[in-house]
Every structure is written in C-alpha cells, then in structure tokens.
Amino acid sequence: MKPKLPTKLLYGGDYNPEQWPESVWLEDVRLMRAAGVNMISLGIFSWAKLQPTEKRWDFGWLDRGMDLLAKNNISVCLATATASPPPWLSTKYPEVLPVTADGVTLQIGSRQQYSPSSRVYQKFAAALVRKIAARYRRHPALAAWHINNEYACHLQECHGADSTRAFRDWLRTKYRALAALNAAWGTAFWSQAYGAWDEVLTPRRAPYHSNPTQCLDFKRFTSDAFLALHRMEAAILRAATPAIPLTTNFMGFFKPLDYRAWAPEIDFVAWDSYPDPVDEKAARHAGAVGHDLMRSLKPDRPFVLMEQATSAVNWRPVNLPKRPGIMRLQSLQVLARGGDGVMFFQWRASIAGAEKFHSGLVQHVPAAASRVFAEVKALGAELKKLAPVAGSLVHNRVALAFDWHAWWAVELESKPGRIDYAAWAQALHRWFYEHNIGVDFVHPGSSLAAYDLVVAPALYLLPAKSAVNLTAFVARGGTLLATYFSGIVDEHEHVVPGGYPALLREVLGLWVEEWAPYPEGRKNGVRFGGRKVTCDHWCDLLHLEGAQALANYTGDFFAGRPAVTRHSHGRGAAYYLGTRLDAAGLDLLLGRVVREAKVAPVLRTPAGVEATVRESTKHRFLFLLNHTDKATKVSLGGYRGRELLTGKIASRSLLLPPLGVTVIQIP
Ligand code: GLA
C-alpha cells in the first residue's frame, strides 16, 4: 500500500494544546475554522504529558484533542513526540544525555537533550512511537505523521560513550579492516596510525587540527546516526499505518544533515523557514533559495512549509515583527516555488516558557483585535481560491550542483582560505532568482538529462563518478559553469594530484597551478570583454589547455593571466570562474552563459517582481509577486489567463499593488 499524499493546500501550524486548559481548546477550533485552517501538527513536545513516569501513560487529553479536531474537520499531522525526552528519563538513565567535543554533558531543562546513538533513548522513543501509532492508527483526524522535530537543530553531534561505540561500528562497516581506515585517514601523517579499533575516537577537543578525514567521516556518521533514528520511527509507523504519509521537518541549508540521503525516507518534504524581517530584500531570496533546495529533494511532488512565523520570532537578539503584507507575500512565495502547504509555528502564542514572545496565528491579544489574526484569516480565504494550484509542479532547465559532502569537506579546518559553501551557492542562485530563471538543486553525480545548464560552485570534494557525469553532460551538449576550488580532493579528502582540478581538466580545458585566496576587503580587477570589473575572495592562477580566456586579471603578480574561461567540449561548453566577480562582472558572465545554454526567464519583470510558473497536466500557473512598496506594472508577454484571486482575465499587462501578488491560471 502506498501512503496517500496530501492533495489540497494545507494551512495551519503547530498546535500545543497541552499548554492550555481544555476550555481554551474550544475557542481554538472555532478560530481555526474561522481562519480556514485545515491541518495542524499536534503534540510535538508532549512526551512528558503522554508518559509522566516510566510506567504511567496518559492519552486521555490527546484522545479528546484528536476527537475535537476530527469533529471540526481539521486534519492532524500527528507528532511522535520524541524530540524532547521527559526529565525522568535522564534522571534514571543519565547515559541518554549528549556530550560535547569538550566532554561536557548537556543537561535537561531545555529540549533535544538526547544522544542520537543512545540505546536507552532509542528503546524509550520506540516504545512511545509504538503506543501512539497503535492508539491513533485508525483515528479519523490522522492525516500524516510528524516524526520527531528538526533533527539535530540544537544538538548537532555527540561524543558520549554510545556515540563513540556507534562511530566505531559505522567505521567498521565502511572500512572493514583497520588498515583501510588508516589509509583513508592518512594516519601516516603526525603519527596517528591506529593499532586497534578501541583506540579510534570521535574527533574530540585536541591540541591542534584534528585529522580532516576523521572529521569528515564523523559528519557523515552523525547525519546517518540521526537518520537511523528517523528510520526506526518510520518503520514502526509504516507497519502500523501503511497508508498514512510520514515526514519530518527539515531546515533548508542545514549543514549537519545530508538531506539528500534523508529524502527517500520521507513521503513529502516539509521544512521550516525563518528569514529575518530586518532585511526584507535578503529575506525574499532566503525564502526562495530555501524553497528551491527543499523542493529539489523530491521534485516529483510539492513540498510543505511546515513552519514559519506569522510575525516575530523570539530567538534572535532583536526580533522585528513582519510588517503588514509580508507574511502573506512570503506565504504565497511558498506556493510560487512549488509548495502545497503554508503552516506556522505555532497556533497560539505561549504564555510561559522560552517561546512566549514568538508570534502565533493567535497572539496574546484577543483574536478579534489582532492585526496578525486578521492577516491570517485573509490568507486562509485566499488559499481557498488558489486550490487549483495544488499538485502542480515546477520544471526548470538550470541546475545548481550542491553536495553536503563537498560542503562538509570544504569547510573543515586548514584550507587555503575560507569558503562559505552555502553562501557561495546562494550568491550564484541569487542572480538566477533576480532574473526569474528557475533553478533546481542536484547532486553532481545524478542524472542531468533534464537540464541545459549546470552551475557547480566550489565542488572541492568531487568523486570521480561525479566528474565523469559532469563531463558527459557537456559532451552531450550541456553548458557547465564550474568555479574555483572545485575537484580538489576525492571522497577521502585526499588531493587528486596532477594539476587541479585533475578530474575536470579535460572538460574545462585548463589546469590550476596555484591560488591566491584574498583576505576580507582586498580586491583585484578583471578585464572582461571591453569592461573592467572588480573581483575578490579568491584568484586562481590558470594555465589554458584549449580553453579560451574571457576575462583576465588586471593586478597582482599574475596580472594579465586568465580569470574566466570557456572551453568547447563535445557538443557543449564548459565555463570556469577562477575568482569572485562583483555584480557587474557576474552579470557579464552569467548573461553570456545563459544565452549560450538558451535558457530564458519565465518573464522579464521590473526589479523586485518575482515570476515563477507551476504546471499541472491541465494548466500552467504564473505567479507574480511584487516585493516592492511601489505599485508596479508588469507586461505579461504571451501569458493570458484567469487571475485566481480576483476571477478577472489577465492579458498583455497588469498593475501589481505594493507587496501585491497575482496567480494566473493558464489553460
Ligand atoms: C523551530 C522549532 C519550533 C519552534 C520554532 C521557533 O522551528 O521546530 O518548535 O521552536 O523553531 O521559531
């Protein structure tokens, strides 16, 4: 039996009724209905309430909550409640508590205080999930499972006894023989050779740089350790309820977890997005690029935004509210980029605890007097009008090669310079975003058949198979843009010698002899065609082997040498960017690359107007989002159809009000 995926646009949020007297629940469901809420995530932090002592269970309150929601036609994404173990667990079994690299044991009183490799935690979590699954498997309100919550959000690694044992087991499975581990970790260096498995530790605080391959393997292990927990819960739920889809909430560009390895283990992608309202311009791209990364994990179905804030959060030093219109705009951006759900943390703002100043759909003030609730209600009504969008997909012709292993490796210590991998990928994505050219995120070793252009920033760690894949993509007629510090090391983080990036030399038609990473603030110039632009951060010193120079450095001891190149290979072309160009330079380069790849924007719009398209078998949906405070006229090109929010026919052009959105259904 296949899980039944959600088929409508979901609207709602985390609901924590255990924080409130049951009399408040009646007002909750009344307001949920008034707001058009159709799904809530229930009981995420309710373990202590469900199991107040090791031997005692209390499901009465949850039974009543589930029944009340079912009676009111509100579906439940039911939590497995394993994210915050109750105090009794670690009081009796202190070994569940996580340990930092410095050997500090993290204590109770907050949340997520468990080691992912703790056998005791696993046993008790499994028992809890079994109980919940058995009790609610046939409940009419149950529509999906919400496993744990934001795995690894606060607790990103553990060095305790169980984790050390599990790390050794993981290494044994990977390397089989200790000799293979010694070879992979390069332990001939600094007298690090291991003579017995028991000598191998997690990378704890050490006098100087730890072994980089050990650190890289520990990151891989940690992602797998959390994934093993997820799998454990998922197996219980699948056995109990094969038709109920399950998910866990991801966090976008979250480094500790290789979400690409996780994606096959969930039925739909759910994620949490909290761009800072302080910088709205940055926030609009932060939302978009996060949606693109998350959507790409399961491109054949819409994702769900599981959490965002209606207004302020509580966890930044200064927490600005979202001004009127921003919450709506950001919510409709979710739909624009392939999401079918707009959910929030949390339904009702708490009055006690660390998150009492985090906004909710229902604030501390009466709903009837609340600006935020008025916007929530209005958005709920609009989502009903947008119902036809549900299930439609996003199809793009540009891919951005992005790999968690490359991310982990390039940001390990003792590198020539500092590369912020996610920021570099996002900076390149931003150009496409601002030009209304849709981008998917892919693994460099995955099928690239759907794409005309692949952008591959800083693939420092590049397995040979991925290099072959990128080369074949170009040979078949694709356009590739690779950047500095790519293809430097293999999976073990060993340099591939012979002129960097050895495995991409053929396709790029060049090799890199040296590099000059620049300190913050230092700049060089680049002559690009007839123009002079600036560059910073990094300068590769290239030798051409068939590639043609498009731009040359103007300063430093390598003035005159190439900075940007193009090489024909097979039926396609490979570009190389050896430095970080300023905005004008990036425009020159990407403008040319996009022309060569024959990739066109969805629509050319005035600055600040985002345009995207979703497609179903019957329709296309053009989304236009005006992120500016000015009424803006947009020419529609050939697009013509019905505006879903107003019912009006749109053709030729339309005027978007400040922060305005339209969705045009095109037959
Ligand atoms: C995360 C968590 C929620 C809540 C919000 C606050 O996303 O999943 O439980 O703490 O942050 O923004």
Side-chain angles (χ1 to χ4, degrees), residues 200-496:
V200 179
L201 297 176
T202 58
R204 305 191 183 164
R205 186 73 65 224
Y208 191 39
H209 296 307
S210 290
N211 180 300
T213 314
Q214 175 193 17
C215 294
L216 178 59
D217 270 345
F218 186 61
K219 294 204 181 303
R220 291 168 168 148
F221 156 76
T222 299
S223 179
D224 284 358
F226 281 105
L227 181 54
L229 277 187
H230 170 88
R231 280 204 187 106
M232 175 190 82
E233 292 201 21
I236 296 168
L237 300 173
R238 294 230 186 271
T241 57
I244 301 293
L246 58 83
T247 193
T248 184
N249 42 349
F250 290 168
M251 287 166 280
F253 286 84
F254 182 65
K255 188 176 163 189
L257 303 183
D258 175 4
Y259 285 143
R260 203 166 274 120
W262 283 62
E265 312 283 338
I266 55 174
D267 294 317
F268 60 91
V269 171
W271 88 283
D272 303 343
S273 173
Y274 290 97
D276 191 345
V278 163
D279 185 346
E280 285 177 2
K281 202 162 174 207
R284 64 174 96 130
H285 178 247
V289 72
H291 299 321
D292 286 0
L293 177 69
M294 295 290 97
R295 181 196 64 243
S296 302
L297 296 172
K298 278 195 178 291
D300 64 337
R301 64 198 70 179
F303 65 90
V304 170
L305 188 75
M306 194 55 98
E307 287 182 27
Q308 61 172 337
T310 55
S311 187
V313 299
N314 63 295
W315 41 264
R316 294 191 176 98
V318 175
N319 299 294
L320 212 62
K322 292 182 185 173
R323 65 187 173 105
I326 294 295
M327 183 274 281
R328 169 186 186 253
L329 188 58
Q330 291 179 344
S331 299
L332 296 178
Q333 186 189 44
V334 174
L335 267 57
R337 306 199 82 85
D340 267 8
V342 175
M343 319 254 299
F344 298 84
F345 175 86
Q346 63 176 328
W347 165 252
R348 184 183 278 277
S350 306
I351 53 170
E355 292 185 321
K356 57 183 166 298
F357 297 117
H358 192 295
S359 57
L361 289 87
V362 178
Q363 301 274 68
H364 293 151
V365 298
S370 159
R371 187 269 297 180
V372 165
F373 191 73
E375 290 188 39
V376 162
K377 240 170 99 173
L379 177 61
E382 287 193 315
L383 289 177
K384 288 189 182 143
K385 296 185 185 161
L386 296 176
V389 169
S392 59
L393 298 175
V394 172
H395 300 291
N396 292 321
R397 290 170 59 203
V398 179
L400 204 144
F402 187 89
D403 179 17
W404 266 263
H405 295 248
W407 189 358
W408 293 330
V410 79
E411 292 183 7
L412 292 169
E413 304 174 304
S414 56
K415 293 287 182 295
R418 214 185 141 260
I419 292 190
D420 181 335
Y421 180 73
W424 183 216
Q426 289 169 8
L428 293 169
H429 176 280
R430 190 169 183 150
W431 186 90
F432 292 89
Y433 171 73
E434 281 167 357
H435 288 79
N436 295 326
I437 298 174
V439 174
D440 292 342
F441 285 83
V442 299
H443 188 275
S446 67
S447 167
L448 302 172
Y451 302 105
D452 298 310
L453 170 61
V454 173
V455 180
L459 285 177
Y460 163 72
L461 180 151
L462 185 70
K465 259 168 72 186
S466 298
V468 168
N469 193 47
L470 293 172
T471 304
F473 165 74
V474 177
R476 285 195 309 267
T479 303
L480 172 71
L481 168 64
T483 82
Y484 55 88
F485 221 38
S486 287
I488 308 297
V489 299
D490 65 12
E491 293 95 318
H492 296 316
E493 230 252 345
H494 295 194
V495 167
V496 187

Side-chain angles (χ1 to χ4, degrees), residues 74-95:
I74 297 164
S75 315
V76 173
C77 181
L78 185 58
T80 58
T82 51
S84 191
W88 60 257
L89 184 69
S90 47
T91 305
K92 181 149 181 207
Y93 308 97
E95 66 268 38

